[in-house]
Amino acid sequence: MSKIIANYTSRRSFLKGASTLGALGVLAPSIFSPRFAQAAVNGEVLSGCHWGAFRAVVKDGRWTEVKPWEQDPHPSHQLAGVMDSVYSPSRIKYPMVRRAYLEKGRGADVEDRGSNDFVRVSWDKALDLVAQELKYAKATHGPRSVFTGTYGWKSAGKIHNSRSLLRRLINRGLQMPNVTHTGDYSTGASQVIMPHVIGTLEVYEQQTVWPVVVENTEVLVVWGADPIKTNQIDWLIADHDSYTYLEEFKKTGKKVICIDPLKSKTAEFMDAEWVQVKPQTDVALMLGMAHTLFVEELYDVDFMDEYTAGFDKFLPYLTGETDQTPKSAEWASEICGVPADKIKELARLFMGNRTMLTSGWSLQRQHHGEQPHWMLVTLASMLGQIGLPGGGFGLSYHYSNGGTPTSDGPALSGMNDGGAMEGSVSIPVARVVEMLERPGEEYDFNGTRYTFPDIKIAYWAGGNPFHHHQDRNRMIKAWQKLETVIVQDYQWTATARFADIVLPAASAYERNDIEAMGSYSNKATVAMKKIVDPVFEARSEYDIFVDLADRLGNKEAYTDGRDEMDWIRHYYEQAQKQAASKNLEMPAFEKFWEDGIVVHPVSQAAKEYVRYADFREDPLLEPLGTPTGKIEIYSKNIEKMGYDDCPPHPMWMEPLERLDGPDAKFPIHVNTGHPNDRLHSQLNGTILREGYAVADREPCMVNPKDAEARGIKSGDVIRIFNDRGQTLAGAIVSEDIMPNVIRLYEGGWYDPVEGGKIGSLCAYGDVNTLTPDLGTSKLAQGNCGHTVIADFEKFEGELPDVKVFTAPTNG
Amino acid sequence: MGKHETITFSNSDRSLVYRWLASFFTSEVKIETLESYSSPEGKALLDVFALAPELSSFTNQLSQMAQLPKEDYQTQVLDLATAYSRLFLGAGGAHSAPPYESAYYNEKGTLFQKPTADMNKLLQELGISIESSLKEPADHLGVQLNVLAEYIDREALAEASGDQASAHALHENQIWFLSNHLLNWVPSFCEGCKRFDPSGFYEQLAAALNTWLSMDLARLNEAGTTT
């Protein structure tokens, strides 16, 4: 043995001589340190995320298993994707700069954005560049030249709140008036109209709690919502407690009606009656019901007199006195496709039973989206059950487990933006592209004229506008106006691909934080302990922003002298003090951090909460926050605005386009509902996709009749197109969707066949290649993501690869 | 030595080749790298590497690059860095060639899987760790090539100190490591480079590496079977 080895190694070295070259140390360096690796970390860590609380099993420093928290009554299957997202090949690993930008500076070859030509730079270089751009913006363009709207579902956590941290950087670091956003893509229209109608945002308020609904509601209506699907997630940490109540309701055997163009998960789960309605025609359907209640003299006259204002001004419209068109069930049926008899039957059923009209936000995410919820409140008023146990309406049963009783626990506060400087402005969130297109020009919003700022730099941290914004092609063009785009994220989103400077943020599982569980229940306070170290060169949001503040010369003002753990302790102890004032004991911080969670008690009163019960009890002492103190079916404030697209009482108005609408250019409505297997675009890059992709594309549900007409079967790749754009998708042929409607979930990652090219075919299935970018009206300026018609065909050409999710080729 | 003459490799040669090949995967080619290869020492180094037939086309390409006018270095380096980012750092999306064994361990390409754990364990057994400046998991190609170099160096040391048993074990370790941690995925990786490298440089590098690994395994087996 030894001889052979000796022979082998004693042969003449062909590198003899060369190996003495000094160059070798540089050109063939060793990358090892002669020391033992650090002791491997093992164990189980309790943490939380939008999908719920969970225990992470860590083996030798790697996260290997995710187990739902034992007290989660209905864990989301998406947790598997949460773990996978950390080790996903689509992680941003290093700071990157777009090549043309690096070579030629800001504004270079902007039409090249999206073509994937990036070069790695050091953190120092990347942060120097960002700081330099911010200083340049301030020195050259002055106030309001940097956009920090950075909308999106940032990771949970009160400290590493990328949205607040970014604004804090502009406010305290750069010390320049900023430009941020107002409202959101979820409830843009409703949250502006509802304060006029009922005096609160409504969409983010606690609902009549589920125990009361289970006991008292006789007819549960789920209108354009799918709580079984969407309650998987919470803006904070999901508690999933609504599932228990949905199950209890189902067991009672009471009536559940789902009004929807497709058979939802909820309809399936609840064995509900499915009423098919043509998309975007809900107002007509509601008017038909209201008309029935009126002409049949069924509606609650006393309730209208005592609790509402302006019904008398609405009635002439309802009866057709003003426009010679009675909004009868027959009239409604022509528009919404629900048979007139069914409309009347539903109206009588609602009137004759304790009925809870729950609605999702899909209804208001469309052109004239202010009207549906206004009309829903009007209808609920006519039923006269608002403020009664289990009656009335609710706009948040599908979101963050709304309606789950609220605990006595303290509110947990978190990182703030440090105080915006005078002169800061905000725009309605979904007008971001129009802002880029029309700098210095005026626009209307909720009764006031504003001027669009002239933005030079956009900084996005923890958001993906190239998923959530409508009309992708128009957006790509508008983006070219920006001199510099900075994106900070933990995934190579489409937005990151359209950036100039890309910073790798740590995931929520690679840093310490603290968060509340349950947006409505406030069930617990959760320690979001770091599970594993950041991979590659990823850094926590806080550390990144602190280093930037330092480069801007204002580190102290930014940090207030606190590091990550100091902040966590700070907010915990604030909550602890608040709890003490309510005679509620919370453990010392050390104990909390060790246990990982404090669950708060729930009072009997909280389990019996009925929304608007106080108002119903005493409308004079407990008035609503509207000008009249009552439910405003006619709003004088809105009348004063004089908007042609938002009248002073709810009305049916033709949207920009709709299925079977006048002059409809395309025969198919595209339903852009929320996905069941991810959070908007989050987790699209994970193993969860294996469970739903069709032909490697985003699945698109098609009615058999429409499929047959086009020679399409399940598994085929289809091309969906209209005059705004085009995308591929994988067909699923199913009776669970009504004819002439197809469903392509929002959140599929934009994957242009020709990166950066306007009009390019999306290979994967981003529905926002098809949607229009317009405001709901001058009142709310919400987005209209559900206002879209198109056509589709079997894709016959050479099939382009899906390449947006990093994956190996496997030869 | 003639060009077509059979050449032989000492262990110090082999470990050098591994470390040298690894260097192209652990970081981008820099201007200083090109400058080094244009220096007399660097040229000499490439000349000798070129004696290995499996490496010669790659060294030729590198030599040509180094001979470019100095003012062209910047563009050249950026071309390579762009290709590097697309192929190895994720900028290319699925049109990439992830340099991690884990990426080929499952269909989806998830990183930090069993191969990472295996490599961590292996480094621990070897009593070494990755330099803190290199923020890569242990199943990165560059790390794996360095592990092989480490085995080779240790075999030479054992040999030199007369510890034949250890030398033999280390020899066997190389055969095992090449088969189970490199040749099990480098051919797929090589295919990715071939399909998606916009520069051609990494395609040639990966091809050279792939051939070198196969040849080296054959040489090791040959040395083993003559026992």
Side-chain angles (χ1 to χ4, degrees):
Chain A
M1 183 75 236
S2 57
K3 192 176 73 188
I4 299 306
I5 298 292
N7 278 349
Y8 186 77
T9 56
S10 66
R11 287 179 189 166
R12 181 178 55 86
S13 168
F14 86 106
L15 275 173
K16 202 176 172 201
S19 62
T20 62
L21 292 171
L24 278 183
V26 179
L27 300 176
S30 171
I31 58 158
F32 294 132
S33 302
R35 57 186 158 81
F36 290 104
Q38 282 179 339
V41 181
N42 285 288
E44 226 174 68
V45 185
L46 178 65
S47 192
C49 59
H50 294 312
W51 299 267
F54 61 87
R55 291 186 191 277
V57 178
V58 178
K59 277 188 188 148
D60 298 332
R62 278 190 320 124
W63 183 3
T64 57
E65 194 188 344
V66 60
K67 301 191 281 193
W69 181 48
E70 314 75 65
Q71 294 179 53
D72 187 331
H74 194 91
S76 169
H77 70 286
Q78 294 181 39
L79 268 183
V82 171
M83 181 173 90
D84 193 63
S85 71
V86 172
Y87 296 142
S88 167
S90 51
R91 280 296 293 261
I92 301 171
K93 303 178 179 76
Y94 296 94
M96 308 287 275
V97 177
R98 189 168 62 90
R99 180 185 173 164
Y101 183 90
L102 191 67
E103 270 183 302
K104 304 176 204 164
R106 71 178 67 91
D109 304 349
V110 287
E111 65 288 347
D112 198 42
R113 285 195 189 122
S115 68
N116 289 343
D117 274 349
F118 285 95
V119 173
R120 169 164 67 174
V121 297
S122 68
W123 262 112
D124 272 343
K125 170 81 176 172
L127 294 175
D128 286 348
L129 274 175
V130 174
Q132 168 200 302
E133 292 308 287
L134 295 177
K135 287 178 189 166
Y136 152 80
K138 186 178 181 183
T140 310
H141 300 294
R144 297 172 296 279
S145 57
V146 178
F147 186 66
T148 59
T150 191
Y151 182 76
W153 273 65
K154 65 159 189 73
S155 299
K158 289 282 187 265
I159 313 305
H160 297 281
N161 177 341
S162 51
R163 289 159 58 141
S164 299
L165 287 168
L166 173 59
R167 281 163 211 157
R168 195 177 172 93
L169 181 74
I170 303 305
N171 298 340
R172 289 200 177 178
L174 190 63
Q175 301 189 354
M176 182 174 90
N178 72 28
V179 182
T180 180
H181 76 254
T182 300
D184 53 46
Y185 280 74
S186 300
T187 64
S190 205
Q191 66 171 270
V192 177
I193 187 81
M194 279 298 118
H196 292 290
V197 176
I198 202 150
T200 76
L201 289 182
E202 200 58 42
V203 288
Y204 298 125
E205 307 288 341
Q206 177 60 300
Q207 312 292 291
T208 292
V209 293
W210 272 112
V212 173
V213 171
V214 171
E215 193 181 329
N216 298 286
T217 302
E218 291 164 324
V219 175
L220 180 63
V221 179
V222 183
W223 203 317
D226 196 353
I228 288 285
K229 180 175 72 180
T230 53
N231 274 333
Q232 290 182 76
I233 55 157
D234 188 314
W235 177 250
L236 310 175
I237 295 170
D239 57 59
H240 298 142
D241 284 337
S242 68
Y243 289 87
T244 311
Y245 298 114
L246 281 160
E247 272 165 30
E248 282 179 19
F249 194 94
K250 185 184 177 182
K251 275 187 208 150
T252 66
K254 292 189 282 191
K255 185 115 183 136
V256 181
I257 298 169
C258 290
I259 302 176
D260 213 305
L262 50 87
K263 190 175 184 184
S264 64
K265 297 265 174 203
T266 305
E268 207 172 300
F269 179 85
M270 303 294 278
D271 279 337
E273 178 186 346
W274 174 26
V275 176
Q276 296 186 9
V277 59
K278 283 187 192 174
Q280 303 191 85
T281 65
D282 308 279
V283 171
L285 176 55
M286 291 174 200
L287 281 166
M289 292 176 181
H291 189 270
T292 303
L293 296 177
F294 181 75
V295 297
E296 297 188 5
E297 295 180 358
L298 297 171
Y299 78 103
D300 190 331
V301 180
D302 292 343
F303 186 91
M304 299 313 278
D305 284 348
E306 193 166 3
Y307 300 102
T308 73
F311 188 53
D312 57 328
K313 292 189 173 173
F314 167 74
L315 271 180
Y317 168 74
L318 185 69
T319 58
E321 197 184 316
T322 49
D323 60 0
Q324 284 70 55
T325 307
K327 309 305 172 301
S328 64
E330 288 74 18
W331 167 86
S333 179
E334 283 293 306
I335 296 170
C336 71
V338 180
D341 285 349
K342 185 75 199 173
I343 297 174
K344 290 176 188 173
E345 177 199 317
L346 288 173
R348 294 170 198 141
L349 179 78
F350 297 171
M351 195 68 221
N353 289 279
R354 184 62 57 83
T355 300
M356 177 59 85
L357 300 173
T358 76
S359 168
W361 302 335
S362 57
L363 270 59
Q364 53 88 61
R365 216 178 290 115
Q366 48 184 267
H367 199 197
H368 307 130
E370 293 82 358
Q371 306 306 314
H373 283 167
W374 198 355
M375 189 56 219
L376 186 83
V377 173
T378 302
L379 180 62
S381 297
M382 291 175 77
L383 298 176
Q385 301 178 15
I386 294 170
L388 291 180
F393 70 99
L395 304 184
S396 209
Y397 283 107
H398 65 291
Y399 171 67
S400 293
N401 295 270
T404 303
T406 308
S407 81
D408 292 337
L412 182 66
S413 46
M415 189 64 70
N416 60 46
D417 70 4
M421 294 185 72
E422 209 179 314
S424 294
V425 297
S426 68
I427 61 152
V429 66
R431 300 325 301 146
V432 58
V433 162
E434 192 180 353
M435 169 189 78
L436 296 175
E437 292 170 340
R438 301 175 49 218
E441 293 181 34
E442 292 190 329
Y443 67 97
D444 287 294
F445 177 54
N446 201 12
T448 307
R449 294 284 285 173
Y450 296 93
T451 303
F452 280 123
D454 190 1
I455 298 294
K456 303 294 181 188
I457 293 177
Y459 192 152
W460 231 278
N464 185 12
F466 276 76
H467 126 68
H468 66 235
H469 192 74
Q470 285 65 47
D471 199 342
R472 188 71 59 248
N473 289 313
R474 180 174 159 192
M475 179 178 193
I476 290 167
K477 176 78 185 141
W479 228 243
Q480 293 175 356
K481 188 243 177 188
L482 293 164
E483 293 184 12
T484 305
V485 180
I486 303 154
V487 171
Q488 184 169 315
D489 208 302
Y490 81 116
Q491 298 285 329
W492 269 111
T493 62
T495 306
R497 292 182 186 282
F498 276 84
D500 298 309
I501 303 172
V502 180
L503 303 178
S507 71
Y509 323 104
E510 297 163 322
R511 31 82 162 166
N512 294 302
D513 213 320
I514 185 169
E515 186 58 277
M517 175 185 284
S519 289
Y520 293 96
S521 67
N522 192 25
K523 181 175 185 166
T525 307
V526 182
M528 287 178 64
K529 271 188 266 192
K530 183 170 90 166
I531 296 163
V532 288
D533 285 328
V535 295
F536 302 98
E537 282 190 357
R539 299 185 65 201
S540 78
E541 307 279 0
Y542 188 64
D543 286 355
I544 294 169
F545 284 118
V546 168
D547 275 7
L548 285 170
D550 194 18
R551 279 169 166 77
L552 297 173
N554 289 309
K555 183 176 173 180
E556 276 305 303
Y558 194 84
T559 64
D560 285 346
R562 294 192 180 98
D563 66 12
E564 177 189 71
M565 285 309 293
D566 295 336
W567 280 112
I568 294 171
R569 178 186 287 270
H570 173 70
Y571 287 120
Y572 181 82
E573 287 174 354
Q574 275 195 354
Q576 205 180 17
K577 267 183 215 148
Q578 197 195 116
S581 74
K582 298 202 272 186
N583 286 325
L584 184 69
E585 205 179 323
M586 283 173 77
F589 177 75
E590 287 73 15
K591 172 91 169 89
F592 157 71
W593 195 250
E594 193 189 317
D595 294 349
I597 190 164
V598 182
V599 179
H600 306 300
V602 184
S603 69
Q604 191 54 37
K607 291 174 189 166
E608 293 167 0
Y609 173 76
V610 175
R611 183 153 186 78
Y612 294 122
D614 292 350
F615 167 64
R616 189 177 186 108
E617 178 77 18
D618 196 335
L620 293 176
L621 277 178
E622 300 281 350
L624 302 179
T626 55
T628 56
K630 295 182 175 185
I631 298 169
E632 299 212 343
I633 292 167
Y634 188 96
S635 166
K636 286 190 177 142
N637 277 348
I638 293 178
E639 180 198 74
K640 278 183 220 149
M641 295 176 196
Y643 292 153
D644 55 358
D645 52 4
C646 189
H649 63 69
M651 267 179 78
W652 160 251
M653 280 180 290
E654 279 293 342
L656 174 76
E657 61 192 37
R658 71 172 170 92
L659 177 61
D660 300 333
D663 309 319
K665 278 192 272 181
F666 298 96
I668 298 290
H669 174 88
V670 184
N671 176 291
T672 65
H674 288 30
N676 186 52
D677 304 296
R678 57 173 186 259
L679 195 183
H680 298 306
S681 68
Q682 291 189 53
L683 308 185
N684 195 188
T686 72
I687 48 163
L688 295 173
R689 199 175 65 259
E690 290 167 16
Y692 60 81
V694 173
D696 208 26
R697 326 275 145 172
E698 184 67 10
C700 179
M701 194 187 276
V702 178
N703 181 275
K705 177 181 144 292
D706 299 315
E708 197 184 340
R710 292 167 177 78
I712 290 163
K713 57 184 192 313
S714 283
D716 284 348
V717 174
I718 58 174
R719 186 180 77 98
I720 312 166
F721 58 93
N722 61 16
D723 45 3
R724 289 179 290 267
Q726 51 173 341
T727 185
L728 297 182
I732 297 176
V733 179
S734 168
E735 295 279 3
D736 287 348
I737 190 157
M738 61 188 278
N740 304 317
V741 179
I742 60 174
R743 185 204 66 204
L744 185 64
Y745 286 138
E746 50 96 21
W749 285 13
Y750 178 58
D751 189 8
V753 173
E754 294 166 276
K757 192 180 162 192
I758 291 163
S760 172
L761 177 68
C762 173
Y764 178 69
D766 170 16
V767 77
N768 278 323
T769 52
L770 304 167
T771 51
D773 177 0
L774 79 160
T776 50
S777 82
K778 296 184 182 76
L779 185 91
Q781 297 284 13
N783 79 85
C784 299
H786 279 293
T787 298
V788 50
I789 56 174
D791 202 349
F792 66 106
E793 63 187 11
K794 188 170 173 178
F795 184 74
E796 303 278 13
E798 192 185 331
L799 200 57
D801 286 353
V802 171
K803 58 182 191 301
V804 69
F805 313 107
T806 310
T809 64
N810 284 329
Chain B
M1 197 187 321
K3 204 172 179 184
H4 301 290
E5 235 175 281
T6 305
I7 58 154
T8 55
F9 305 93
S10 77
N11 272 344
S12 60
D13 296 336
R14 291 174 58 240
S15 71
L16 260 177
V17 169
Y18 279 111
R19 291 203 174 91
W20 173 70
L21 288 170
S23 71
F24 295 101
F25 296 107
T26 51
S27 79
E28 295 87 341
V29 171
K30 302 197 169 49
I31 288 182
E32 305 87 80
T33 324
L34 291 183
E35 279 167 354
S36 299
Y37 287 119
S38 73
S39 73
E41 293 94 335
K43 276 181 190 161
L45 188 73
L46 286 184
D47 284 347
V48 285
F49 280 142
L51 293 175
E54 56 268 42
L55 303 178
S56 62
S57 59
F58 176 64
T59 55
N60 284 344
Q61 196 187 4
L62 203 51
S63 301
Q64 281 167 20
M65 240 175 233
Q67 282 158 26
L68 285 171
K70 291 276 157 69
E71 59 270 26
D72 292 349
Y73 274 11
Q74 178 70 21
T75 306
Q76 181 62 65
V77 161
L78 282 172
D79 284 348
L80 293 182
T82 306
Y84 186 96
S85 297
R86 279 198 186 196
L87 289 171
F88 307 143
L89 301 182
H95 284 192
S96 69
Y100 309 97
E101 187 182 348
S102 285
Y104 304 84
Y105 181 74
N106 59 72
E107 208 168 302
K108 189 188 151 281
T110 311
L111 306 179
F112 293 87
Q113 298 304 294
K114 185 173 177 290
T116 314
D118 291 346
M119 287 302 301
N120 277 330
K121 199 164 159 249
L122 215 146
L123 290 182
Q124 204 169 3
E125 282 165 12
L126 285 168
I128 52 178
S129 58
I130 303 166
E131 284 283 0
S132 58
S133 59
L134 184 65
K135 304 285 188 193
E136 293 288 353
D139 64 337
H140 185 272
L141 179 56
V143 176
Q144 293 194 333
L145 296 176
N146 271 271
V147 164
L148 203 55
E150 190 73 22
Y151 279 135
I152 297 166
D153 287 352
R154 289 184 188 208
E155 184 197 347
L157 268 174
E159 191 59 39
S161 63
D163 182 355
Q164 297 303 337
S166 296
H168 174 66
L170 287 156
H171 181 92
E172 293 299 317
N173 280 349
Q174 291 166 49
I175 293 173
W176 173 83
F177 190 82
L178 269 166
S179 311
N180 292 287
H181 279 295
L182 283 163
L183 284 165
N184 57 330
W185 68 277
V186 168
S188 296
F189 164 79
C190 190
E191 187 62 28
C193 291
K194 188 176 165 188
R195 283 179 65 190
F196 303 125
D197 178 15
S199 71
F201 178 83
Y202 291 104
E203 178 191 347
Q204 281 222 358
L205 169 66
L209 170 72
N210 200 26
T211 318
W212 167 270
L213 293 177
S214 306
M215 302 282 283
D216 200 42
L217 179 65
R219 286 191 290 265
L220 285 169
N221 280 326
E222 192 188 334
T225 52
T226 53
T227 312

